[in-house]
Amino acid sequence: MDEESTLYELEFPVPHVSGDEGDGPVLVHALEGFADAGHAVALAAEHLRDSLDSELVATFSADELIDFRSRRPTMVFSGQEFTDVEMPALTIHAVRDNSGRPFLLLAGAEPDLRWDRFVEAVRRLSDHFQVSSVVGLNAIPMAIPHTRPPTVTAHGSAPEMLGDLPRWGSPLKIPGSASMLIELRMAQHGYRTAGLSVHVPHYLSQAKYPAASATLIETLSTVTGLDLPVGALENAASTVRTQIDAEVSGNAEVEAVVSALETQYDAVTGRAEEAPSLLASDESLPSGDELGAEVEMFLAQAAAGETDTDAPDEGPEGDTSPGDDRP
């Protein structure tokens, strides 16, 4: 048995994932943790599994891939004894879209350890299932208002898949993630790859933001041709928008900040030929420091505290840099 195969356990019998024409499935990877502002990636993955027919294909070993001292599992205590534990999960499901077309969904906690072995295991599974293309989902905090539609920036080795989606446009050196490494290695092995990064208002990056999840799934449909539902997420987004608007209304300081963000957003998106993405703009966008701790805490706590029953349940916390609480 090779080392990579010890990282996961395949279901038996393995679900059928070839299309009616014998074509291979798209692999969608949606890893929570590093780039999951607004829990948009976790919400999107959960929505796809719950709203479509899905079967478990493989389960990765949390013991091999997760550092439990930096990302401690939640224990359930009855007051007298421990009754359960919520372990981080990383799985691949075979999902069928509204038309019955199958695709693979790799979702769950981003691995802390053994990235090279993990990515090689994903590559070998992709070879086994004759994956046709690979698309990653990400969500990043940006200085944009919640009163405007979320936007998406794209990248990847297959520009024909991305159409006229905005690109980053400038060379960068940034901290890596397992999702980025999947995209790089899969492209190096000849797979068509794409990455979709939805923008989330940075003052809501710690709250549930289903509007960003809906935008991610709509863009995924456009890029892959998959027929994917978004109705439940759009309903949740409408509810969250109403709640945030209610909290903002009457607070002059917060209203002024949102208005300033709206002005900057409209100026940038209205000059698409000069500024293909919000990051590429030469406008001076408000920073987190300029918004102030009061604004961020005010809106984030309002959304997080009031939308738990209205938005889809989220997975593990998705902060951008899990802390290490080793002694």
Side-chain angles (χ1 to χ4, degrees):
M1 181 179 294
D2 58 74
E3 289 186 351
E4 282 70 38
S5 64
T6 64
L7 292 184
Y8 61 85
E9 181 178 348
L10 272 175
E11 293 297 298
F12 184 82
V14 177
H16 180 70
V17 295
S18 294
D20 294 337
E21 305 299 323
D23 51 329
V26 174
L27 170 64
V28 179
H29 53 100
L31 301 182
E32 306 160 17
F34 179 74
D36 191 14
H39 306 288
V41 174
L43 291 174
E46 182 179 8
H47 171 75
L48 291 173
R49 287 193 304 263
D50 291 347
S51 60
L52 296 167
D53 291 336
S54 66
E55 298 178 80
L56 182 64
V57 172
T59 302
F60 285 87
S61 171
D63 271 349
E64 291 288 331
L65 297 172
I66 303 298
D67 178 359
F68 293 121
R69 290 202 296 169
S70 65
R71 189 171 3 186
R72 295 183 181 271
T74 300
M75 304 292 299
V76 180
F77 187 63
S78 69
Q80 180 173 320
E81 61 181 340
F82 293 103
T83 59
D84 203 358
V85 59
E86 298 173 9
M87 301 293 285
L90 181 57
T91 60
I92 296 179
H93 281 76
V95 187
R96 291 188 175 272
D97 72 359
N98 287 328
S99 66
R101 179 184 171 188
F103 65 97
L104 293 173
L105 176 63
L106 168 62
E110 179 192 36
D112 298 309
L113 310 169
R114 300 176 176 84
W115 279 12
D116 279 329
R117 285 182 56 195
F118 167 67
V119 173
E120 178 63 13
V122 172
R123 199 269 299 175
R124 292 192 180 193
L125 284 168
S126 298
D127 289 349
H128 175 77
F129 290 111
Q130 298 181 317
V131 163
S132 60
S133 55
V134 181
V135 181
L137 306 183
N138 302 282
I140 55 177
M142 294 280 284
I144 61 173
H146 70 279
T147 54
R148 297 292 186 268
T151 52
V152 171
T153 303
H155 47 83
S157 68
E160 71 279 3
M161 292 178 61
L162 303 178
D164 58 358
L165 286 171
R167 312 294 205 272
W168 293 111
S170 301
L172 299 169
K173 286 189 177 181
I174 58 177
S177 70
S179 179
M180 296 176 197
L181 192 59
I182 289 174
E183 183 176 324
L184 172 65
R185 296 293 189 231
M186 296 296 278
Q188 290 173 338
H189 280 89
Y191 283 91
R192 298 194 311 157
T193 65
L196 307 175
S197 297
V198 68
H199 307 156
V200 175
H202 62 297
Y203 51 85
L204 295 173
S205 62
Q206 298 301 315
K208 295 177 181 178
Y209 198 61
S213 304
T215 296
L216 264 183
I217 292 178
E218 289 172 342
T219 309
L220 177 63
S221 293
T222 300
V223 167
T224 62
L226 292 167
D227 183 1
L228 304 174
V230 293
L233 286 172
E234 289 177 338
N235 291 337
S238 178
T239 300
V240 169
R241 168 67 186 274
T242 299
Q243 293 169 337
I244 297 174
D245 285 346
E247 295 293 338
V248 170
S249 179
N251 186 307
E253 181 179 356
V254 176
E255 287 181 333
V257 168
V258 172
S259 178
L261 289 173
E262 289 172 340
T263 299
Q264 298 291 352
Y265 178 102
D266 294 342
V268 172
T269 57
R271 306 200 332 263
E273 69 281 1
E274 298 177 31
S277 77
L278 288 172
L279 280 186
S281 170
D282 58 3
E283 296 287 342
S284 176
L285 296 175
S287 68
D289 289 340
E290 290 171 328
L291 288 176
E294 177 186 351
V295 179
E296 184 168 342
M297 182 178 299
F298 177 75
L299 290 179
Q301 288 182 344
E306 297 185 23
T307 63
D308 287 343
T309 59
D310 296 300
D313 290 336
E314 64 183 350
E317 282 295 321
D319 55 26
T320 56
S321 56
D324 191 333
D325 59 357
R326 294 183 181 88

